[in-house]
Amino acid sequence: MANAEEEEAKLDCFRQWLQVNGVELRGCKIKDCDSNKGFGIFLANDVSDGVLLVVPLALAITPMRVLQDPLIGSECREMFAEGEVDDRFLMILFLTVERLRKNSSWKPYFDMLPISFGNPLWFSDDEISELKGTTLYRATVLQRKNLLSLYEDKVKSLVEKLLTLDGGSDREVCFEDFLWANSVFWARGLNIPLPRSYVFPQIQGTKDDSSSTEKSSEISPKIFSGELAKGVDEKGLQAHGLNSQVNEETASSTQGETLWVEGLVPGIDFCNHDLKPAATWEIDGTGSITGVPFSMYLLSAGQSSLQINKEITISYGNKGNEELLYLYGFIIENNPDDYLMVHYPVEAIQGVPFSDSKAQLLEAQNAEMRCLLPKSLLDHGFFPEGVQKGEDEKCKRDHVCSYSWSGQRKMPSYLDNLIFPDNFLSVLRTIAMQEDELYKVSTMLEELVGTEGERQPTDTEVRAAVWEACGDSGAFQLLVDLLNMRMTELEEHSGTEDSDTDLLKRADLTEAADSLLVVKDDKSGYRFLLLLLFLLELESLD
């Protein structure tokens, strides 16, 4: 009973904090989900325009806010100028410091957040060992090691230094504080599309205001370092390989230009995930929709089934279970967005013949060392849903005709069934090349470069030369080896032979039209077996 009263008191305090900071709960309320999901957002009443929640972007925790913070902003700007920190580190550092401050203005918000998380970084050693054989296991071990090293080398002393500016803290900083801040950022962060005029208001000033414009331009390139996040989804941080970065979107004019900025938006971040979301979030730069300029609002998806007191969910994006568990600490049973990741270890390149030359070719191709295979590819007999075989085959044929160096290489008969991305296969072709094939590629590229090195070949031209020189035979053999290695890893940690037999008995197998077995159950071992059979059949065709 005491715990319930304490939780309700925290919730009341948070509601007041939201109201003071200009947040408007127009058609929703925040309450406990009565499950492992913690707090969520629920429909309180119908709204005619579908706007359920409005949050001023001035409340968002962004790199710009940290740099302008009255307590730690000066120190952070100095570190930025010296290149010691990046934008993500700034926000995680801010969360760590504010959690430990005696009189933090963010306390009502922080009190509503979980004190621990369900992602693998919080697993015990025994729990982490259960992940062996998966990509997630290695990612978790490496990330926890990196975070611990970062904490000991930089964060601990830096947080202590910043806290002294506020008169110290009631307790000493520990690694769990930093781990908590890291998990808050990744679990609740959003990719926010902001007008440039909002991010850099000084730039909109007059020509006479040269000092403020000059000062802003000093830090702007650093805030948006890295690659622009691809595939931005409703929740936010689209992770490729469990890591991503955000950058300034290039545009010819500053008027109407959009900058993608990572940040936390209190209120919106209480929306939980669902495959069929009841709402989306949008940005209102002018206030024409919400009446609040520069705000983020929650917009009903217009589902007639949404009833009063029903939870309002959004989509975190098309993420597989490994990514969901790594970022948010949960998985979805029979997740339609699950995928199989196949990758070639970067460190293994040094062990192959002519590694230096091949590494240069990979760099010239902007090589992708891994590929993600959605399970939907296999659910439809190697063809995407809704695509006719004839259309798919024509697309592939056109692609090969324009891709081959000379246009004379015979198109493989298996091309219309190939489910592996070509940029990944080009990596494997490059790594598997023999000495004579490597010489052929060098000769063809020299024809383009010219004796004086007039220009550099494009990534497409390099891939075409590699394809012309060696085809797919070596790449397929290397791919079979990679899949065999993955199967071995999974088998080593998949339980006893009796449990494997039980899985076989429960598997629902149907024969596909092309006489290949397609497994409907989400059993990764069966999918690997299917891929191996398919690849072994292709080896004899190249």
Side-chain angles (χ1 to χ4, degrees):
M1 185 67 178
N3 288 337
E5 293 177 353
E6 183 178 341
E7 291 297 309
E8 187 61 31
K10 289 181 181 179
L11 186 53
D12 286 340
C13 184
F14 181 55
R15 293 192 189 106
Q16 296 175 23
W17 182 83
L18 290 174
Q19 185 176 7
V20 168
N21 285 281
V23 177
E24 300 177 9
L25 300 173
R26 297 185 179 179
C28 65
K29 57 186 176 182
I30 300 174
K31 68 175 188 177
D32 197 327
C33 292
D34 296 324
S35 67
N36 294 327
K37 294 191 296 185
F39 289 94
I41 295 182
F42 293 78
L43 187 67
N45 55 270
D46 292 324
V47 285
S48 58
D49 59 359
V51 177
L52 303 165
L53 170 65
V54 182
V55 181
L57 288 173
L59 187 60
I61 300 175
T62 63
M64 298 85 72
R65 185 187 188 97
V66 177
L67 292 173
Q68 298 166 2
D69 185 78
L71 176 64
I72 69 174
S74 176
E75 188 77 21
C76 289
R77 287 194 296 272
E78 183 178 337
M79 289 187 294
F80 245 151
E82 295 176 358
E84 296 181 10
V85 296
D86 60 17
D87 45 4
R88 289 179 174 171
F89 181 87
L90 271 184
M91 287 183 281
I92 295 173
L93 176 66
F94 177 82
L95 291 170
T96 306
V97 171
E98 288 298 322
R99 191 191 195 200
L100 293 167
R101 285 184 62 190
K102 294 178 181 178
N103 300 303
S104 173
S105 61
W106 295 89
K107 187 177 186 305
Y109 171 57
F110 287 171
D111 284 345
M112 292 287 293
L113 302 182
I115 59 175
S116 63
F117 290 80
N119 68 63
L121 293 175
W122 293 80
F123 283 11
S124 66
D125 291 342
D126 288 341
E127 289 171 332
I128 290 178
S129 67
E130 295 293 327
L131 300 174
K132 286 183 178 179
T134 68
T135 306
L136 186 56
Y137 172 76
R138 188 183 182 199
T140 300
V141 172
L142 289 177
Q143 181 68 345
R144 187 173 177 88
K145 180 181 178 181
N146 292 337
L147 289 175
L148 186 58
S149 176
L150 182 60
Y151 170 77
E152 294 175 344
D153 295 343
K154 178 182 289 188
V155 173
K156 187 175 188 296
S157 59
L158 185 55
V159 171
E160 290 174 346
K161 177 183 178 181
L162 294 174
L163 285 173
T164 58
L165 301 176
D166 191 45
S169 175
D170 292 334
R171 64 178 179 84
E172 293 185 0
V173 61
C174 62
F175 174 66
E176 282 68 26
D177 294 316
F178 180 57
L179 184 61
W180 175 88
N182 179 81
S183 296
V184 167
F185 171 78
W186 283 105
R188 310 180 81 87
L190 303 171
N191 259 338
I192 312 171
L194 297 176
R196 185 183 180 89
S197 60
Y198 179 79
V199 179
F200 301 120
Q202 298 97 327
I203 294 178
Q204 305 302 312
T206 63
K207 293 182 179 180
D208 295 334
D209 192 14
S210 58
S211 60
S212 61
T213 304
E214 189 174 336
K215 183 177 180 181
S216 173
S217 64
E218 288 178 359
I219 61 173
S220 62
K222 293 180 178 292
I223 294 179
F224 301 99
S225 59
E227 295 181 356
L228 180 66
K230 303 174 183 177
V232 176
D233 52 59
E234 299 297 335
K235 177 65 175 178
L237 307 181
Q238 178 69 26
H240 295 274
L242 310 178
N243 189 19
S244 65
Q245 293 225 350
V246 173
N247 182 19
E248 177 179 345
E249 181 180 289
T250 303
S252 58
S253 171
T254 58
Q255 186 67 26
E257 184 180 353
T258 297
L259 305 180
W260 290 98
V261 179
E262 289 180 339
L264 278 73
V265 185
I268 298 287
D269 64 344
F270 281 89
C271 288
N272 290 310
H273 171 70
D274 197 275
L275 295 174
K276 297 180 179 179
T280 60
W281 59 259
E282 306 287 345
I283 297 295
D284 186 3
T286 63
S288 60
I289 299 175
T290 64
V292 183
F294 298 118
S295 62
M296 179 181 287
Y297 62 98
L298 194 64
L299 181 66
S300 171
Q303 295 180 355
S304 58
S305 59
L306 191 59
Q307 301 174 349
I308 303 298
N309 291 324
K310 290 294 184 180
E311 185 175 6
I312 301 170
T313 56
I314 62 175
S315 170
Y316 291 5
N318 301 327
K319 293 179 170 64
N321 278 340
E322 283 193 339
E323 193 172 353
L324 288 174
L325 183 59
Y326 186 87
L327 293 175
Y328 310 113
F330 67 86
I331 62 172
I332 298 174
E333 188 174 356
N334 297 322
N335 187 349
D337 297 312
D338 246 341
Y339 56 80
L340 168 70
M341 187 175 87
V342 182
H343 77 287
Y344 187 89
V346 177
E347 60 273 14
I349 296 177
Q350 296 301 319
V352 302
F354 312 103
S355 58
D356 291 341
S357 298
K358 292 178 179 179
Q360 292 178 12
L361 286 173
L362 291 173
E363 183 178 356
Q365 297 175 60
N366 297 315
E368 290 284 346
M369 304 298 289
R370 58 176 189 149
C371 71
L372 304 178
L373 299 178
K375 77 173 188 177
S376 59
L377 284 175
L378 300 181
D379 288 342
H380 300 285
F382 300 108
F383 296 103
E385 187 175 10
V387 175
Q388 298 296 322
K389 181 175 180 181
E391 296 176 0
D392 187 64
E393 184 174 351
K394 181 181 183 300
C395 177
K396 293 284 188 178
R397 288 178 184 274
D398 291 344
H399 178 62
V400 168
C401 289
S402 62
Y403 185 71
S404 176
W405 183 274
S406 64
Q408 301 302 314
R409 173 175 276 277
K410 181 182 178 181
M411 188 189 73
S413 59
Y414 53 77
L415 192 65
D416 56 329
N417 282 338
L418 199 57
I419 65 174
F420 295 93
D422 189 74
N423 56 0
F424 180 66
L425 283 178
S426 185
V427 168
L428 300 185
R429 294 181 194 120
T430 304
I431 295 173
M433 275 195 298
Q434 302 299 313
E435 183 177 5
D436 61 321
E437 295 167 339
L438 192 60
Y439 176 76
K440 290 179 183 178
V441 172
S442 300
T443 302
M444 286 187 282
L445 294 179
E446 284 175 2
E447 296 176 10
L448 287 179
V449 174
T451 56
E452 301 297 328
E454 288 85 358
R455 73 176 183 89
Q456 293 297 317
T458 66
D459 54 351
T460 301
E461 289 169 338
V462 175
R463 292 192 189 104
V466 171
W467 160 264
E468 186 77 12
C470 59
D472 281 332
S473 180
F476 283 148
Q477 182 57 61
L478 184 55
L479 189 53
V480 169
D481 292 342
L482 290 176
L483 292 172
N484 266 317
M485 182 171 63
R486 284 286 275 127
M487 282 195 68
T488 300
E489 290 175 352
L490 287 171
E491 289 173 353
E492 287 178 353
H493 307 284
S494 63
T496 64
E497 290 186 8
D498 289 340
S499 64
D500 291 340
T501 301
D502 183 56
L503 288 176
L504 284 170
K505 290 179 180 179
R506 291 190 282 117
D508 177 19
L509 302 179
T510 60
E511 188 170 352
D514 56 2
S515 301
L516 292 174
L517 293 179
V518 178
V519 183
K520 290 184 177 179
D521 278 16
D522 187 17
K523 306 295 188 296
S524 57
Y526 295 121
R527 296 191 183 280
F528 275 120
L529 180 59
L530 175 58
L531 290 170
L532 283 171
L533 291 172
F534 182 57
L535 289 170
L536 289 170
E537 188 171 303
L538 295 184
E539 279 189 272
S540 61
L541 299 177
D542 185 48

